[in-house]
C-alpha cells in the first residue's frame, strides 16, 4: 500500500455511495504507516528534504485514513437510520461493509429501534406492551466456561481485554492473576501487566490483571466485582 492507494479510496468515498474496500485495507494501511515511521526514524536530520517529504506523506496518510473512516461510519449510521423504518427494504450496501462496520451497523440499528420504542412507543402505541431492547455494549472475549461461570455468579455479561495479543485468562487461575471490575470512567488505551492492550469505557465490566485493577481502584476509576476477595485473599494486603 502507498499514499496513492489511500487517496484513491478516499476519492471514491467522497460520494454518498458506499464502496467496497479490501478486507485488509486497514491492516495494510497500518503496515504502511509503521514503515513510514521506521524510515523517518532512520533520518537523523529533521531539517533534511527527505525527512520533510516522509513526514508530510505520513501526516497525509493519517489524515486521509481518518477521513475515510469517518465517511464510511457516516454512511453506516445513515443506512441504519433508514433501515430502522420497518417499511424500508434492507439495502444491498450492507454487503459492502467490513465486519467491524457491520457490527456497528447492527448496534446503531438496534439502538435506534430501542430509542423509538422507549420514546415514541407510548405516544404512537399507548396500548402496546413492547419494551425497548438496547444493544449490549460489552464484548464477550472469554472462554465459554469462564463466561458461563461469571454470568451465573454475577448475573451480568463479562468483557475481557480488547487487545489483539495474549491468551484469555484461564478460569482456574482467574482469582490468582486477574480480577473483574466495573470501570467508572472512560480510560485511554493502556498496556496491562500481562502485555495486552486494554481499551475500556465507563460502566463496562472487564477482566484486568490484578496490578492494573488495583491501580484503577485506588484512583477511583474502577470498582472491584470479583477478585481475590472471593478466595479468602486480600486484594490490597497491608504492608507491615
Amino acid at each position: 500500500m502507498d499514499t496513492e492507494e489511500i487517496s484513491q479510496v478516499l476519492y471514491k468515498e467522497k460520494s454518498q455511495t458506499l464502496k467496497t474496500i479490501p478486507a485488509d485495507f486497514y491492516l495494510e494501511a497500518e503496515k504502511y504507516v509503521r514503515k513510514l515511521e521506521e524510515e523517518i526514524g532512520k533520518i537523523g536530520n529533521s531539517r533534511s528534504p527527505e525527512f520533510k517529504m516522509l513526514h508530510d506523506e505520513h501526516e497525509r496518510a493519517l489524515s486521509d485514513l481518518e477521513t475515510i473512516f469517518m465517511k464510511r461510519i457516516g454512511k453506516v449510521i445513515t443506512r441504519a437510520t433508514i433501515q430502522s423504518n420497518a417499511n424500508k427494504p434492507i439495502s444491498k450496501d450492507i454487503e459492502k461493509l467490513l465486519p467491524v462496520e457491520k457490527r456497528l451497523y447492527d448496534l446503531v440499528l438496534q439502538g435506534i429501534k430501542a430509542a423509538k420504542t422507549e420514546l415514541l412507543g407510548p405516544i404512537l402505541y399507548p396500548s402496546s406492551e413492547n419494551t425497548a431492547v438496547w444493544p449490549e455494549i460489552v464484548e464477550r472475549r472469554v472462554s465459554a466456561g469462564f463466561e458461563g461461570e461469571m454470568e451465573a455468579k454475577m448475573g451480568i455479561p463479562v468483557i475481557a481485554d480488547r487487545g489483539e495479543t495474549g491468551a484469555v485468562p484461564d478460569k482456574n487461575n482467574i482469582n490468582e492473576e486477574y480480577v473483574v471490575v466495573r470501570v467508572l470512567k472512560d480510560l485511554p488505551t493502556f498496556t496491562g501487566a500481562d502485555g495486552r492492550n486494554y481499551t475500556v469505557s465507563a460502566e463496562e465490566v472487564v477482566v484486568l490483571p490484578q496490578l492494573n485493577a488495583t491501580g484503577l481502584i485506588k484512583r477511583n476509576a474502577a470498582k472491584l466485582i470479583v477478585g481475590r476477595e472471593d478466595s479468602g485473599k486480600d486484594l490490597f494486603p497491608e504492608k507491615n
Side-chain angles (χ1 to χ4, degrees):
M1 178 176 286
D2 55 28
T3 185
E4 183 61 29
E5 184 175 345
I6 294 176
S7 295
Q8 290 177 0
V9 173
L10 175 58
Y11 176 77
K12 294 178 181 178
E13 289 297 339
K14 287 182 178 179
S15 69
Q16 296 300 315
T17 305
L18 185 61
K19 305 296 183 180
T20 300
I21 62 175
D24 62 348
F25 174 75
Y26 286 104
L27 178 61
E28 292 301 314
E30 179 185 6
K31 294 178 181 178
Y32 167 61
V33 170
R34 295 289 88 82
K35 182 179 179 181
L36 283 177
E37 293 172 348
E38 182 179 350
E39 293 178 357
I40 292 173
K42 293 179 180 179
I43 302 175
N45 184 6
S46 61
R47 297 183 179 181
S48 68
E50 184 180 5
F51 181 93
K52 185 178 186 305
M53 180 185 68
L54 290 175
H55 180 268
D56 289 346
E57 183 177 348
H58 178 266
E59 293 301 302
R60 178 185 175 187
L62 293 181
S63 177
D64 287 353
L65 286 168
E66 288 187 11
T67 303
I68 290 170
F69 170 79
M70 292 306 300
K71 285 187 174 297
R72 290 185 65 85
I73 293 305
K75 295 173 184 178
V76 168
I77 295 174
T78 297
R79 280 154 181 75
T81 302
I82 295 174
Q83 185 59 42
S84 64
N85 186 334
N87 296 323
K88 294 288 184 179
I90 298 177
S91 173
K92 292 184 178 181
D93 279 356
I94 303 306
E95 300 174 359
K96 301 176 182 178
L97 296 177
L98 297 175
V100 173
E101 294 172 337
K102 179 58 168 58
R103 286 181 59 193
L104 176 62
Y105 169 85
D106 291 337
L107 287 171
V108 173
L109 179 58
Q110 187 178 350
I112 292 174
K113 290 182 177 179
K116 184 176 182 179
T117 298
E118 192 166 317
L119 299 176
L120 279 180
I123 300 173
L124 301 179
Y125 314 104
S127 60
S128 175
E129 297 182 356
N130 290 339
T131 57
V133 179
W134 289 91
E136 186 176 303
I137 63 173
V138 296
E139 177 184 355
R140 293 183 175 89
R141 290 284 299 279
V142 292
S143 65
F146 175 62
E147 179 180 15
E149 179 180 319
M150 289 296 100
E151 287 188 346
K153 185 171 185 178
M154 297 182 290
I156 53 177
V158 177
I159 177 174
D161 69 282
R162 294 182 181 177
E164 296 182 358
T165 60
V168 173
D170 183 84
K171 68 176 181 178
N172 293 323
N173 62 11
I174 185 68
N175 287 331
E176 295 299 323
E177 300 178 3
Y178 292 83
V179 293
V180 181
V181 299
R182 183 183 297 281
V183 180
L184 303 179
K185 61 179 69 174
D186 293 340
L187 299 174
T189 299
F190 63 90
T191 301
D194 55 359
R196 285 175 283 177
N197 293 327
Y198 293 80
T199 303
V200 295
S201 302
E203 297 307 314
E204 286 187 345
V205 176
V206 300
V207 178
L208 294 177
Q210 181 189 334
L211 181 63
N212 300 104
T214 300
L216 294 177
I217 293 171
K218 288 183 177 180
R219 288 161 44 199
N220 294 319
K223 181 179 180 181
L224 179 67
I225 295 181
V226 177
R228 292 195 171 187
E229 291 178 339
D230 299 307
S231 59
K233 301 178 182 180
D234 190 359
L235 182 62
F236 308 111
E238 296 183 359
K239 296 181 180 180
N240 295 325

